[in-house]
């Protein structure tokens, strides 16, 4: 008999090597959450610098109250997909509210951002089509691409000239073409040069999708994402996002202006064959969205904190994932063992960051990845910098 | 351009992915024998695409395991009219 799990032996060995160093960076348990930026782990208070809680909105009283109300009035779950069981009024309200926030005509809500990528990519592209995806794309984009059955062509990260070259090589005149970018790339924190990609539309026929998972609520004068920041929203045909980061809840969405957009509901298996988001998730997303729209100062605080952390790390001589200020501040490490050891020392000193290693990172990089929150105080940011100075830069 | 012409070039392009300098030939299983992860294989394929100025869609990559498989695919693409 071939043991099915035997193929994962290598992963088990790699994981064991980390445990042997006395570390389980992938299994931290937050016993108690004190605030968006503090948790109790065991009997210690830890500063959280790896949560993607960009707007620090998870403990917002109005959002919590909305969730509690929905839980009491609509129950714990929807017990089925919207296609089978129908929608709750809140699902539609959230879609309307998001479309308005984004300035787009249509929006479809998914149970997670991962499923939004699976659903949108497989709904938009089929076996006759070609998807061009950035080499540094998130795994959910890769998986959505695979599910679509489309021809998949990968182009060099953030390189519109490389995409141009690859499009010119293509001789598939039959199907459509979809180009997929991310607003802020999750590991290194850099942004897609949107203008370069939109300019290519003059030369090649394609539709453009941006996954704003890390940039929705974060980039642009209205917080709509990369298109908003670049002033190029008209060049972006489809936007994807998640509620798990700046919105502080769980869920995802796809949005656009295409007249056939609503038809996707009947074509996307990851939308049709899974239960819709729970009433509490929908209600908290809706309430959080209101807060984001009403309190643009949160975005300013996020950027102030991001700059403080970025400048602090640079002053220590640490090598960061990108040269521009970003709410994702990743510090490059020489190898996996050093990364594990430094992660552990940071944690012992009281700060939680993400340990990111290949193949989850681009270019085989090992990273100590921080994400900044609007809820971090300047003192907390300074404390993170001091701990990095003692542990990583020393 | 034949498969035999292409194999040495592919072996050269594999250099950076073969730090232990394992011997390479047509039968070398690229991901398994060189222990390259999924993203590494895709990065390597990009180098092959650019060197030969051809397209190797990701869908093809999962079916091309050995140096010989890859050389065969490159040859069919190069020899297309
Ligand atoms: C770029 C990108 N897309 C999609 C997702 C998936 O979002 P979710 O956590 O809501 O499933 C993530 C984050 O995990 C991401 O980083």
């Amino acid at each position: 008999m071939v043991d099915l799990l035997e193929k994962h032996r290598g992963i088990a060995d790699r994981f064991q090597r980390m445990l042997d160093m006395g570390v389980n960076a992938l299994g931290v348990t937050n016993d108690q959450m004190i605030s968006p930026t503090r948790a109790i782990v065991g009997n210690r208070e830890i500063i959280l610098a790896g949560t993607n809680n960009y707007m620090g909105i998870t403990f917002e009283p109005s959002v919590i109250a909305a969730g509690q109300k929905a839980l009491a009035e609509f129950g714990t779950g929807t017990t089925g997909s919207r296609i089978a069981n129908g929608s709750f009024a809140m699902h539609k309200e959230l879609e309307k509210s998001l479309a308005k926030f984004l300035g787009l005509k249509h929006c479809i809500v998914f149970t997670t951002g991962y499923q939004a990528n699976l659903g949108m990519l497989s709904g938009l592209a089929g076996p006759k089509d070609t998807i061009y995806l950035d080499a540094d794309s998130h795994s959910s984009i890769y998986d959505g691409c695979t599910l679509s059955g489309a021809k998949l062509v990968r182009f060099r990260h953030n390189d519109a000239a490389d995409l141009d070259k690859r499009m010119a090589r293509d001789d598939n005149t039959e199907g459509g073409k979809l180009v997929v970018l991310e607003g802020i790339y999750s590991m290194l924190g850099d942004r897609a040069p949107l203008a370069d990609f939109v300019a290519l539309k003059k030369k090649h026929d394609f539709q453009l999708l941006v996954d704003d998972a890390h940039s929705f609520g974060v980039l642009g004068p209205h917080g709509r994402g990369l298109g908003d920041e670049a002033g190029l929203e008209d060049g972006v045909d489809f936007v994807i996002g998640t509620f798990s980061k700046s919105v502080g809840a769980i869920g995802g969405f796809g949005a656009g202006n295409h007249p056939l957009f609503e038809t996707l509901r009947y074509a996307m298996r990851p939308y049709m064959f899974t239960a819709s988001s729970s009433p509490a998730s929908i209600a908290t997303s809706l309430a959080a969205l209101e807060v984001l729209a009403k309190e643009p100062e949160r975005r300013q605080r996020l950027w102030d904190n991001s700059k403080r952390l970025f400048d602090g790390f640079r002053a220590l001589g640490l090598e960061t994932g990108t040269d521009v200020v970003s709410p994702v501040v990743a510090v490059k490490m020489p190898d996996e063992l050093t990364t594990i050891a430094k992660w552990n020392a940071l944690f012992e000193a009281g700060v939680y960051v993400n340990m990111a290693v290949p193949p989850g990172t681009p270019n085989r990089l090992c990273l100590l990845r921080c994400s900044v929150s609007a809820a971090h105080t300047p003192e907390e940011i300074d404390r993170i910098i001091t701990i990095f100075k003692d542990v990583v830069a020393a | 351009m034949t498969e035999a012409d292409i194999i040495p070039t592919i072996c050269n392009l594999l250099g950076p992915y073969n730090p232990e300098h394992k011997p390479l030939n047509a039968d070398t299983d690229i991901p398994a024998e060189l222990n390259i992860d999924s993203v590494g294989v895709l990065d390597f394929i990009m180098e092959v695409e650019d060197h030969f100025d051809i397209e190797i869609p990701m869908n093809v990559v999962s079916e091309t395991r050995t140096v010989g498989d890859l050389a065969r695919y490159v040859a069919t693409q190069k020899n297309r009219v």
Side-chain angles (χ1 to χ4, degrees):
Chain A
M1 184 189 83
V2 176
D3 183 346
L4 294 169
L5 280 161
E6 197 50 45
K7 59 176 153 303
H8 302 306
R9 176 74 60 192
I11 299 176
D13 293 345
R14 191 172 166 200
F15 188 65
Q16 187 59 46
R17 192 177 62 180
M18 179 171 71
L19 296 183
D20 290 345
M21 292 172 72
V23 185
N24 185 0
L26 310 179
V28 170
T29 305
N30 298 301
D31 293 302
Q32 204 187 321
M33 293 298 292
I34 298 173
S35 75
T37 61
R38 300 269 181 165
I40 301 284
V41 179
N43 51 10
R44 291 191 308 131
E45 190 172 326
I46 303 284
I47 300 178
L48 303 171
T51 59
N52 303 318
N53 193 349
Y54 297 119
M55 293 296 146
I57 213 164
T58 43
F59 282 82
E60 193 59 24
S62 66
V63 178
I64 291 176
Q68 285 167 334
K69 182 162 181 283
L71 196 54
E73 290 179 5
F74 287 87
T76 52
T78 61
T79 65
S81 105
R82 289 171 68 184
I83 300 295
N85 292 20
S87 301
F88 288 8
M90 273 184 289
H91 289 115
K92 294 188 174 170
E93 209 187 317
L94 176 58
E95 288 174 343
K96 233 171 101 181
S97 167
L98 261 168
K100 184 162 166 255
F101 188 99
L102 291 164
L104 294 171
K105 290 201 180 82
H106 307 282
C107 175
I108 298 177
V109 163
F110 294 82
T111 313
T112 67
Y114 179 84
Q115 280 165 290
N117 267 328
L118 291 194
M120 288 293 293
L121 293 167
S122 64
L124 290 170
K128 289 197 172 125
D129 305 315
T130 306
I131 302 179
Y132 292 86
L133 68 158
D134 186 285
D136 285 8
S137 293
H138 188 259
S139 296
S140 58
I141 293 174
Y142 277 94
D143 292 354
C145 286
T146 304
L147 187 64
S148 74
K151 183 164 101 174
L152 307 178
V153 177
R154 195 169 170 256
F155 59 89
R156 291 187 194 277
H157 176 54
N158 274 352
D159 190 339
D162 189 69
L163 173 63
D164 180 18
K165 180 176 78 182
R166 283 167 206 281
M167 286 193 140
R169 269 182 201 148
D170 182 34
D171 54 6
N172 174 10
T173 47
E174 210 186 328
K177 296 185 172 100
L178 179 67
V179 171
V180 182
L181 311 174
E182 287 178 37
I184 292 178
Y185 284 85
S186 55
M187 283 298 130
L188 297 182
D190 53 339
R191 281 167 238 178
L194 187 61
D196 297 354
F197 288 102
V198 169
L200 266 191
K201 281 186 155 186
K202 292 207 181 74
K203 191 165 169 193
H204 303 284
D205 263 334
F206 63 87
Q207 285 163 299
L208 179 62
L209 180 152
V210 175
D211 179 351
D212 269 316
H214 292 265
S215 32
F216 176 74
V218 169
L219 286 182
H222 309 90
R224 290 171 180 166
L226 185 68
D228 186 22
E229 180 185 57
L232 289 167
E233 284 173 293
D234 289 347
V236 178
D237 300 283
F238 306 102
V239 176
I240 282 179
T242 172
F243 304 144
S244 71
K245 305 184 198 302
S246 59
V247 180
I250 187 160
F253 67 84
N257 279 332
H258 197 288
L260 285 173
F261 194 88
E262 294 295 329
T263 317
L264 287 169
R265 290 186 201 271
Y266 315 104
M268 301 185 295
R269 299 170 67 86
Y271 175 82
M272 292 191 281
F273 298 106
T274 192
S276 60
S277 311
S278 75
S281 297
I282 293 293
T284 49
S285 302
L286 199 50
L289 204 57
E290 260 173 50
V291 175
L292 293 191
K294 267 206 311 253
E295 300 179 9
E297 60 273 20
R298 279 178 192 266
R299 204 156 47 246
Q300 191 54 49
R301 274 208 304 279
L302 172 69
W303 284 102
D304 291 347
N305 284 341
S306 301
K307 183 166 180 352
R308 197 176 182 98
L309 189 67
F310 178 85
D311 289 347
F313 280 0
R314 285 303 194 97
L316 294 177
L318 298 172
E319 196 185 347
T320 50
T322 171
D323 287 336
V324 294
V325 175
S326 166
V328 174
V329 189
V331 175
K332 292 185 187 172
M333 290 284 107
D335 55 60
E336 186 164 319
L337 291 184
T338 311
T339 315
I340 295 171
K342 296 289 184 192
W343 181 91
N344 197 38
L346 287 170
F347 192 63
E348 285 301 313
V351 60
Y352 174 82
V353 304
N354 305 121
M355 188 180 84
V357 293
T361 53
N363 306 320
R364 306 202 49 73
L365 285 169
C366 290
L367 304 168
L368 294 168
R369 174 192 181 272
C370 301
S371 55
V372 179
S373 174
H376 281 125
T377 60
E379 293 72 33
E380 281 175 330
I381 298 287
D382 290 347
R383 179 83 193 121
I384 297 166
I385 296 167
T386 303
I387 292 175
F388 265 78
K389 173 169 175 268
D390 296 342
V391 167
V392 182
Chain B
M1 197 180 265
T2 69
E3 276 170 58
D5 301 331
I6 293 165
I7 285 171
T9 310
I10 291 181
C11 293
N12 269 341
L13 291 171
L14 269 175
Y17 299 86
N18 182 20
E20 293 168 33
H21 304 290
K22 293 190 183 153
L24 304 172
N25 58 48
D27 295 328
T28 304
D29 182 318
I30 298 168
E33 289 179 47
L34 300 185
N35 196 20
I36 310 180
D37 65 35
S38 49
V39 180
V41 170
L42 294 175
D43 289 343
F44 160 66
I45 292 291
M46 246 182 189
E47 301 297 332
V48 178
E49 286 182 302
D50 286 349
H51 183 88
F52 292 102
D53 193 25
I54 56 165
E55 183 180 76
I56 310 176
M58 276 170 57
N59 326 52
V60 173
V61 176
S62 50
E63 293 150 25
T64 356
R65 292 202 62 97
T66 66
V67 169
D69 293 341
L70 186 55
R72 205 151 33 247
Y73 187 82
V74 172
T76 52
Q77 293 299 302
K78 284 308 283 183
N79 297 332
R80 272 191 332 175
V81 274

